[in-house]
Amino acid sequence: MVWLKLCLLSLFAVSLAWSEDTLSSQQESTLAHTGEPSPSSTDNLSFPWSRLRLPRYIIPRHYHLLLHPNLTSLSFTGSVQIQIDVQNNTNWVVVHSKGLQISKATILDQNLAHLSDKVLPVLHHPSHEQIGIFSPRVLISGQKYFLYIEFAADFAEGFYGFYKSTYTTTAGETRTLASTHFEPTSARMAFPCFDEPTFKANFSVRIRRTPEYISLSNMPVVKTVELSDGLLEDHFAPSVQMSTYLVAFVVCDFKSVTAKTSSGVQVSIYAAPEKISQAYYALEVGVKMLDFYDEYFNIPYPLPKQDLIAIPDFQSGAMENWGLTTYRETSLLFDPVTSSVSHKLWVTMVIGHELAHQWFGNLVTMEWWNDIWLNEGFARYMEYISVEATYPEFKVEEYLLNTCFAAVGLDSLNSSRPISSPAENPTQIEEMFDTVSYDKGACVLHMLRHFLTDNVFQTGIVRYLRKYSYRNAQNQDLWDIGCPDAMKGRKNTNREHLNLTAMMNTWTLQKGVPLVTVTRKGSRLLLRQDRFLRTVMPSDPDYLWHIPLTYKTDASGAVHRHLMMSQTDSIHIGEEVSWVKVNTDMTGYYVVHYADGGWDTITKLLRENHTALSYKDRTHLIHNAIQLVSAGHLPLNQALDLLGYFPRETHTVPLLQGLNYLEAIYHMIEKRDEIFFRAVIDEQTWSDSGSVSERRLRSEVLSLACHLDDPRCVERARQHFRDWLQSNKTLNLPTDVATTVYSVGAREDDGWASLLDTYKTSLSEAQKDNILFALTCSRDTNKLQRLLELGLEGDVIRSQDLSHVVMFVARNPQGHHLAWDFVKKNWDHLVQKFQLGSPCIRNILISTTGQFSSPKELTEVKLFFESIKEQASQLRATQIALDNLKKNVRWVQRNLGVLRSFLKIKKLQILF
């Protein structure tokens, strides 16, 4: 029957072009005609395509898209006419479509004449989110055609596709807007399209609206036409060539503030009318950032405008749609009265990230989602480069260490993945937007930049951007074009000629982070590299990296370099050297272990002269020591001895690093009266004075002190909270300590209720974020349960914030199991709300299980994952959660007794 069907089709000149080559054509024919049930059939036609990715022989060139969103019926209608080039004879056009009701489809020739006077059959393949349009006349290779489709749909539930958002005015009126979020695979929910990054095309958009609204898209409006039914139709200028996931449109009643860059690009910030006063800082940042990137990349921003809009309902932090970047309100709006300096930095970094994407991601786009790091790793790293250049007072280089620490934390688990990894279906693609793509990608680029020098690095990426402008690129393309003369003039290295591809493939095509073990033997350093794992898998294969080592010694202030390309190596340092610090300022992405008494030497150095090392080196040593304890390479008491120099530490970054680890230890031993850091607490003022670093330290120290029930801290916070209440909440609390004040106030019933009331009415998203965190600090489990339920309902607490509520409750010792039980009970609802592979689902799973550390809890989590096996098997997040939990169990078994003995021996000594 299979071959009979094929023969009959051929007799009627139905040419099914399966692929670009004969072998693939034979494979596709076999796949499509195996006799399995067809996903959809009309008039004996079977769906012509069996792959997840679309055929390559039909190329979209230009979309003419008309949309009419109805904000009353919460639905939209539309039509799209797609100019296509046909490269193989075929009767079929296959495109993406998800949740759209197709009412009409037709194909026109290059003269806009219909190929058929009948309605064309449209077949659906829902599991692949595809439709196939059949033409009775063969589409001829080399010809241009137009595919025309009419469609309709309700606004999407959740945060993808074309979806509804709302906000409430101070008068209590609920207002509705419609916005889009298409990355990675949701443009198909708004209009039929070739929804893959390689299918770049131009887009001409028209949007119909009622007069009380405005519409925005990637390009500026060129004219507005008044229609006979009172509607207005905005016509937008044709776009540059871009991928479908970058298309965007918004219909809303927002206000804007506007300025121009030095090159004349119009920058506008849009927000709800009552919040537009919070948009001015973002406007300043947007103009500065575009000017900076124009100069740094030496490629002018190609569009006439750049809009930044704060969407009230938004799952991620922001989205880089070309010319119309969309943001969470907390990522764009800044209120000087209620926003802390940390929030100001966050807004600056997010804008820097999204505007970097206008080049990395938009101008040059990865060929497929396996290389999403080419977008996200570069944008994350450019955050630091751009903010360092435009806002040096933030000292943003201090934060890059934490980015790399986060990457090491995930990459040292078995469940990690290579930076460039296979991803085919939407769930797998969604999971690619993770710590590996963003943070590890940024840290590997940071290492490369320092190894090659700033100028060589910048020259290479500009060359890459120029060559692939308006095109797509792969991982390999960056190394091929980026730095062909990478090692020209490079000094202090053991390699005159660098094979950049071979080197960087060891960082992007294999997972994991290297552990470099350093052993001193007379005048030489003996080096060995292995994969650093905090969990053990006996069958783990051998790993080898090309590691650009750096090191400093007491004998010289110079930074020495060495490219380690083998499992073992050695370096001559001289007999006179008394200490050596490897991975200078943590510019390299690797962990260092000092064997055979090496840690004793480092500990002695820190106690006697800690300023001999930079603050970055000191922070790196603290991080490495704690990580090595977790992996079983270093005894816990030795790592705690390393922290013994802390009474003399004055720099914010190593202090915060140590505080973070001590907080984790407090949680582990569930005691709050054994280790204090009195001197550091007493140095803090309850104000907003000082440098950015000092203010950050103040916020963290006082938050931890009050969390640990330090009496003086708690009483001071209570007094501030009482003053705030007595002023009828008009008192402006110091922004750096507001969260701490709210958190202490939320411990009392009246305070908690008062904060919830303020949360409901506040126009400041920064203040609402602070209050939401404070509400989850309650020690009343009934209140914590209520917060979880409010987040699930999505009215008082927006659905976009539910994952944060779950994470915050899980961090609360009274909420560990409460949050986990909530996730188990509402799993199906959560997946429906956020999508299976989304960052929200990943964060919920990892945060709720990350607090557990007993074998019993491990068994319970395994049982739940087994009960959702069909979904869990698709997620890397479940493996990460299990790896984390196993690591916690091992830590407790190995170190809890040691920790208690250490504390007893030290007689509860003050570490600060």
Side-chain angles (χ1 to χ4, degrees), residues 758-772:
T758 304
Y759 179 85
K760 294 175 183 178
T761 59
S762 176
L763 286 176
S764 167
E765 291 302 314
Q767 183 184 43
K768 291 182 71 171
D769 262 13
N770 292 340
I771 290 175
L772 186 59

Side-chain angles (χ1 to χ4, degrees), residues 474-546:
Q474 302 180 57
N475 190 54
Q476 183 62 46
D477 296 326
L478 179 62
W479 316 134
D480 287 346
I481 192 63
C483 309
D485 301 318
M487 292 306 294
K488 191 174 181 179
R490 159 61 72 204
K491 298 178 180 179
N492 298 326
T493 182
N494 57 321
R495 295 289 185 270
E496 290 185 4
H497 303 288
L498 172 68
N499 185 334
L500 190 64
T501 296
M503 172 182 166
M504 295 312 298
N505 281 349
T506 69
W507 296 99
T508 60
L509 301 184
Q510 65 180 353
K511 66 180 180 179
V513 56
L515 169 66
V516 175
T517 302
V518 178
T519 307
R520 178 75 182 271
K521 291 292 183 184
S523 63
R524 301 195 70 80
L525 276 187
L526 305 185
L527 308 171
R528 175 182 173 84
Q529 63 162 294
D530 302 280
R531 183 183 175 195
F532 177 64
L533 278 171
R534 293 184 296 159
T535 51
V536 176
M537 179 181 289
S539 60
D540 225 15
D542 291 333
Y543 286 78
L544 182 68
W545 289 266
H546 293 184

Side-chain angles (χ1 to χ4, degrees), residues 867-878:
S867 73
I868 57 165
K869 187 174 183 179
E870 183 177 347
Q871 293 167 318
S873 63
Q874 301 178 54
L875 293 175
R876 185 176 292 109
T878 54

